[in-house]
Amino acid sequence: MTTSHVHEHHGKDSGLAPELLVQMHAHMVMTRVLEERLIRMQKQGDGYFWIGGPGEEALNVPLGMLVDRGEGPMHDYLHLHYRSSGTVLAMGADPIDSLRQMKSTASDPYSGGRNFCNHYSFKKWNVVPVSSPIEVQFSMAPGTAIANKRAGGRGITIVQGGDAGTAEGDFPTCLVWSSRPENPLPLLMIVANNHWGISTPAATQHGEKRISDRGKAFGIECATIDANDPEVAYRGLKRAIDYVRNERRPYLLEAYVSRLYGHSSSSGANFIGEEVDCLKRFEQKLAERGILTQKHMDDLHTRYTQELLEASKRVREEAPPRGEQIYDHVFVDVDGERDPAAMLPKGTR
Amino acid sequence: MTTSHVHEHHGKDSGLAPELLVQMHAHMVMTRVLEERLIRMQKQGDGYFWIGGPGEEALNVPLGMLVDRGEGPMHDYLHLHYRSSGTVLAMGADPIDSLRQMKSTASDPYSGGRNFCNHYSFKKWNVVPVSSPIEVQFSMAPGTAIANKRAGGRGITIVQGGDAGTAEGDFPTCLVWSSRPENPLPLLMIVANNHWGISTPAATQHGEKRISDRGKAFGIECATIDANDPEVAYRGLKRAIDYVRNERRPYLLEAYVSRLYGHSSSSGANFIGEEVDCLKRFEQKLAERGILTQKHMDDLHTRYTQELLEASKRVREEAPPRGEQIYDHVFVDVDGERDPAAMLPKGTR
Amino acid sequence: MSTMVQAIRMALHVGEERLGVTDIFGEDVGPPLGGVFTQTVGLKTTWNSPLDERGIVGAAIGLALAGQKPVCEIQFCDYAFNTIDLLKLAGAMLWSSNGQWNLPMVLMTPVGSGIHGSIYHSHSFDATATRLPGWKIVMPSNPRDAYGLMLSAIKDPNPVMFLAPKALLRQKALPGEEVPGAPTDERQLAKMIDAPLGDRSKWRPDWPAVEDLFIPIGQARTVRAGRDVTVVCYGRMVQVCTKAADELATEGIEVEVIDLRSLWPYDWAALKESIGRTHRVIFVNEETEVTNFGEHLIRRTVEELFYELHAPPRLLAGAHVPGIGLADNLEQASVPQRDGIVKAMREIAQHAP
Amino acid sequence: MSTMVQAIRMALHVGEERLGVTDIFGEDVGPPLGGVFTQTVGLKTTWNSPLDERGIVGAAIGLALAGQKPVCEIQFCDYAFNTIDLLKLAGAMLWSSNGQWNLPMVLMTPVGSGIHGSIYHSHSFDATATRLPGWKIVMPSNPRDAYGLMLSAIKDPNPVMFLAPKALLRQKALPGEEVPGAPTDERQLAKMIDAPLGDRSKWRPDWPAVEDLFIPIGQARTVRAGRDVTVVCYGRMVQVCTKAADELATEGIEVEVIDLRSLWPYDWAALKESIGRTHRVIFVNEETEVTNFGEHLIRRTVEELFYELHAPPRLLAGAHVPGIGLADNLEQASVPQRDGIVKAMREIAQHAP
Ligand SMILES: Cc1ncc(C[n+]2csc(CCOP(=O)(O)OP(=O)(O)O)c2C)c(N)n1
Ligand SMILES: Cc1ncc(C[n+]2csc(CCOP(=O)(O)OP(=O)(O)O)c2C)c(N)n1
Ligand SMILES: [Mg+2]
Ligand SMILES: [Mg+2]
């Protein structure tokens, strides 16, 4: 059966354990604080460009908490986008490494100072490199999903992108390839719908009432949820992930999110008051329900802010990569073979 | 309202005028005879490769009869595929020109001996060049449809491809671009579904129950018809074309067809007994209903066969293009400007 | 003193008003943004497309087939690499239809490094572009050329690709590089055609009466005359090479700098004349150095001018690595820098056969 | 005497049995057809993909990311031009992740003209392929090299592209070009591994006990020694150049023919040694002649061997036009032919400085 409906659970209890909500809240705060630190660094000249996920915490943190983390096809593969900080932090990433990537230091573990901030890569956790081209992850995801299925375990592949990106051919490629009658795949497709593509409103370009409806023609299970509520998001994600894990079939989840600081530093990276702030809304609920006091939450915010401020100072002292390192990692060596990079004609530059 | 259903009208009267059916039949016979002549030419060494449309006559001939033929955006634009001989013949193409393209003569009006047979191009009739790459026509069609809409007349754009090709990103590109809320387009998308992609059965690769369902998420009107019956096809096409002409909105039509001589000469180009022969079936009906006698139809078949045999002999005498002509038509000249081709370094070959 | 981005915008305006441009479109090209570099803000025929480069190129081809005159944009050339088949198709449309269908379309896209763009906002496109028979390729190095080449591109009945060096888009015109007819006071020009920050829904540009300027496609420009060495470059490298040449002049080495401006067709006559005089030539571009357009120019040079050469011809180009890294050191090690160019110029000038 | 297509098939079989190949896939690669040239018929891990080149390359990348060893096929390289962005991404995966993720994948695709393939079954891919940093590129000219290069490609932990000259796929091996361990009786080999016509659902191949043969990627082969002129070629042009050289031998001109075999990395040492001896060199390939890989080799030659040259280096390559036309005259005017090669060899041999 194929379903598509918006779950609304604001206010009323979601049935999730308070401990879980507290943990979720802490990850969301750290994510927000990290993004705000990255934005500040860029504005202060400690980085060239910022793009990230403030406004997607309520979706991305629960995702990170639900992932089966590990290396190899028995665990989940993640093909994330440049707004996925909440997911990797919830998985256990050290926020200072994000500052390193922003500062383009040699110590940046994700790209060695080569790529923009929030372009993650964790081999040990199956988080494949985030790349700037929109939607290409949807063409690669079926490959890791084939490996998940072949491995015979419960590992699945999760791929995430934005709403405007679904106009690229890679999105339907993922729909077609994940639902091949010959080999349906354990693949969860997540569309983080913030209703924008840089400056272009989704409503002007997209005739779909729901993006998730695009899965129906393929018999793909699909749903649309309000992911500005982390409890709704957690339950929607859990339902989807459980389905994919158990049925070994694809699922398309559309999640409404906010874009709280605009598209990127190119558009100013200033707080957008009109958008729903999932963290603020969540904190109100936690306070109302007496799960956390506002004081506790404010203190947490202050502590994390202080931690990351100090971390950013440490990062400022770290060395940048050296020019000749551009020739590192073009190929992995095959024993006995001369490094082909060494065979390059090296023109003067 | 979005509909999707298979119309079945075999046997019973379709309400189409006998004169129309007779004309339709004649075009279908000519199309079949032409394709069989092309196949023979290739087998006799009078051409290198055959690909074409035997088995799609019941779809393509009605399409050609329903087109608003002319040049410019007040008329229909056609983005056809390599099985569309029935459409261009019904529009009035001279079959001998197809033989010329098969024989790669300089007189081939479609490509001057450059392209494979059944790769049509009629500037005067808005039939844009058929190209071998699958599905790219679906990325170009929105452009001519924008021009149709802008012109303010009743002209529309019609694009046609096969079933396997819908796996390419170009097909959904056409769905997205034709249904943009900002500017919905008068665009008829036709998928000729013969259930094969060369050797690959559609059922192994495609999870869609109906390909036409893919339009639904975009609010695109869609239908699936049995186009092995030219009367069903005529009425299904007319309904679709009228809708697009009047509403200036997109329509997705999936049409079941046969592949009567296999994929191409590469797969032998022999008659496939198991597939429904739309012409044979139509002739039975015409005879049953007393609209045409079998004798008349056989005579027509014989006469066309004779005509094309003689035409092929004439074509055999026509000159091939000259080698230096490869430099013709790289650019249209801008007055006063030296032809850039003349500026080429001409390496020895 | 207009900037290159203003020059492009004014050329597109002239295209709309006097040359029949019907559609200027691409991602974020229309209101409210008017292009990620403001290159299309305030224009009449702009519209936003879905985030789909294949759709953009395809729609432009379709529009041109239907006799419209589209100018489409790929937001960064880094994102054009999933459309090469369609670009080839566009270049082949006239040829494969034996002369029936020409495509009066322009594709514009920002290229090159120099804005800390990291791996996906630093690509060059000249090597790929010159491998597309049926396309004309232009690449300006200053506002005036950007204006004049865009007008010629729009007027041309063939597909023309306009490669805009993104690092130069916001630079001001130097004397002699102004757009003819545009106010020379930059504040005034900005007030007339630059959109205000924030809400622009009510703002309308006040276009200056700019004049026609059609810089012939295929015509190079000698930026700096010199007797000792010929340097052939284009785009962002023109300024770098000119500065390097000025530096060497203090050592008494006179370098001639030629701005190719059109990559296809290119001005072989001008190159031949200059190389025949200086007998020494260096080709400079930012593109990765293997199977590079500068290598074509070297091949042409040794094919036709071998015995004119008093030194081996040189290529200075980008490193053959998978991308341009974000860190300064990485970017600088990846594309030609002034010091390396000065050094190469000195070496080749002093080279004794 | 196996054919190249049989050699490829046997190499893929060895890949499955001894080198860990997990997936051989692409359009019509699996049963019932086993490839449009029968290159994958009877293999164990083959499967058919949807008609979606982007999906094919993407899936191969994903499989390689997950530690599988895929060999994917693009049915004709003419249809790979909508995947260049993904090919670039694959080549950049290790580099952009600072060494974390290598991609053990092979992409194979038929290239070149010679089968009357018209505009879309005649493309070459060597220029585009050599513009993909992070990829290794191999291109065999005979069955033995096809076998040995495919085994090395499969064993390599990096992305390797295997370009198969489609016009040679069905040619029989000449003496010395056999696949080690394969029966030399062609009837016998065909009976063992070629599928019967018609229904193959019950047929199973009987694989011969072929031996390991790893031809190092980056190692050229001297096909024919000669003192007067060096000719550097690959793929289909190797036979054409060798025949041309044999013809000139009757005039007393001894041409050395080098089969590059690997385009990236390429065997510069071998080229340098040969050109240093003959002092005259011609590069021959089928690819369009502008921004052509042979032009890179000419650049490298003049950069390092300028004063060794007794004649201008030459390039013989494809015409810079939008396609290769179907008519014989058009195809022959578009790609290098034996007569033109003989003429160029004679000219350069007799060239007096
Ligand atoms: C293939 C490609 N085209 C264009 C761009 C430039 N670009 C970067 S982000 C973006 C908008 C993406 O919108 P969406 O997919 O909705 O994701 P969001 O940024 O809203 O999360 C564009 C056009 C790109 N990075 N990649
Ligand atoms: C982009 C592209 N990929 C591959 C091919 C090779 N090819 C030619 S026809 C064909 C199958 C097309 O199947 P379908 O779209 O169903 O059309 P049909 O031939 O069945 O009418 C393939 C794979 C091609 N021509 N273009
Ligand atoms: Mg968005
Ligand atoms: Mg089909």
Side-chain angles (χ1 to χ4, degrees), chain A residues 18-299:
Chain A
E19 304 65 38
L20 184 79
L21 300 181
V22 169
Q23 191 189 8
M24 197 145 73
H25 169 263
H27 287 314
M28 287 173 70
V29 173
M30 176 53 92
T31 304
R32 179 67 57 87
V33 168
L34 170 62
E35 293 289 4
E36 288 172 343
R37 171 54 46 196
L38 292 171
I39 289 169
R40 187 123 335 117
M41 282 178 75
Q42 193 274 338
K43 290 185 177 182
Q44 291 169 345
D46 282 325
Y48 298 114
F49 178 75
W50 170 81
I51 192 160
E56 288 192 17
E57 296 91 345
L59 169 68
N60 295 338
V61 163
L63 176 60
M65 293 169 74
L66 286 162
V67 162
D68 168 5
R69 196 186 80 176
E71 182 165 1
M74 295 298 285
H75 301 281
D76 297 348
Y77 282 98
L78 287 106
H79 302 257
L80 302 174
H81 70 160
Y82 46 69
R83 306 204 190 274
S84 298
S85 46
T87 301
V88 297
L89 288 178
M91 287 174 75
D94 185 340
I96 194 172
D97 288 332
S98 300
L99 308 185
R100 293 182 163 121
Q101 191 168 39
M102 169 56 86
K103 183 68 180 166
S104 306
T105 61
S107 56
D108 152 25
Y110 309 129
S111 71
R114 293 170 176 192
N115 217 337
F116 283 145
C117 72
N118 277 315
H119 282 54
Y120 296 100
S121 168
F122 298 85
K123 185 89 157 66
K124 63 181 181 197
W125 294 343
N126 284 352
V127 176
V128 311
V130 172
S131 72
S132 303
I134 293 294
E135 221 64 6
V136 290
Q137 65 271 35
F138 284 84
S139 281
M140 298 185 283
T144 54
I146 292 168
N148 287 129
K149 186 170 180 181
R150 178 175 293 152
R154 292 173 49 78
I156 67 172
T157 287
I158 298 163
V159 58
Q160 180 168 344
D163 54 303
T166 62
E168 295 277 3
D170 302 277
F171 179 70
T173 281
C174 201
L175 297 174
V176 170
W177 284 67
S178 64
S179 63
R180 292 171 58 234
E182 209 171 60
N183 191 24
L185 301 175
L187 206 172
L188 170 58
M189 296 163 267
I190 301 173
V191 177
N193 186 351
N194 61 15
H195 311 289
W196 288 101
I198 302 189
S199 71
T200 306
T204 62
Q205 305 302 323
H206 285 269
E208 310 95 301
K209 215 188 281 82
R210 293 206 189 86
I211 290 172
S212 63
D213 289 344
R214 292 187 65 180
K216 289 181 172 175
F218 299 91
I220 293 174
E221 196 78 11
C222 46
T224 296
I225 62 172
D226 170 14
N228 273 319
D229 181 329
E231 298 173 272
V232 172
Y234 186 94
R235 294 163 76 263
L237 280 163
K238 187 159 188 332
R239 186 185 310 101
I241 289 173
D242 289 347
Y243 172 87
V244 176
R245 263 197 219 302
N246 298 323
E247 304 301 321
R248 317 307 288 162
R249 295 186 58 83
Y251 192 108
L252 172 58
L253 182 69
E254 176 183 19
Y256 294 145
V257 295
S258 292
R259 202 179 63 169
L260 279 182
Y261 281 84
H263 177 68
S264 72
S265 53
S266 307
S267 48
N270 300 313
F271 189 80
I272 312 288
E274 301 80 60
E275 301 246 347
V276 178
D277 181 341
C278 58
L279 180 55
K280 197 135 150 284
R281 202 164 78 173
F282 188 40
E283 294 198 339
Q284 277 159 8
K285 271 202 234 168
L286 292 171
E288 280 162 23
R289 294 204 220 134
I291 295 172
L292 287 171
T293 67
Q294 193 56 53
K295 164 102 178 47
H296 168 95
M297 297 187 282
D298 294 344
D299 292 348

Side-chain angles (χ1 to χ4, degrees), chain A residues 114 168 199-200 321 345 348, chain C residues 28 53 118 289 314 317 326 329:
Chain A
R114 293 170 176 192
E168 295 277 3
S199 71
T200 306
T348 320
Chain C
D28 306 292
E53 289 73 21
S118 187
E289 65 175 309
R314 290 283 299 272
L326 179 56
N329 294 342

Side-chain angles (χ1 to χ4, degrees), chain B residues 48 104 112-116 132-134 164-165 167-168 197-200 205 320-323 326-327 330 344-345 347-349, chain D residues 28 32-33 48-53 79 82 116-118 120-121 289 314 316-321 326-329 333-334 337 340:
Chain B
Y48 297 114
S104 308
R114 292 169 175 191
N115 218 337
F116 283 144
S132 303
I134 293 294
E168 296 276 4
I198 303 189
S199 71
T200 306
Q205 305 301 323
R322 286 168 290 100
I326 63 172
Y327 290 108
V330 174
L344 273 170
T348 320
R349 272 178 286 278
Chain D
D28 306 292
L33 189 58
N48 294 320
S49 77
L51 205 177
D52 176 11
E53 289 73 20
Y79 302 127
N82 60 341
H116 304 294
S118 188
Y120 278 99
H121 300 77
E289 64 176 309
R314 290 283 300 275
L316 306 188
H320 187 68
V321 294
L326 180 55
D328 256 339
N329 294 341
S334 302
Q337 302 293 319

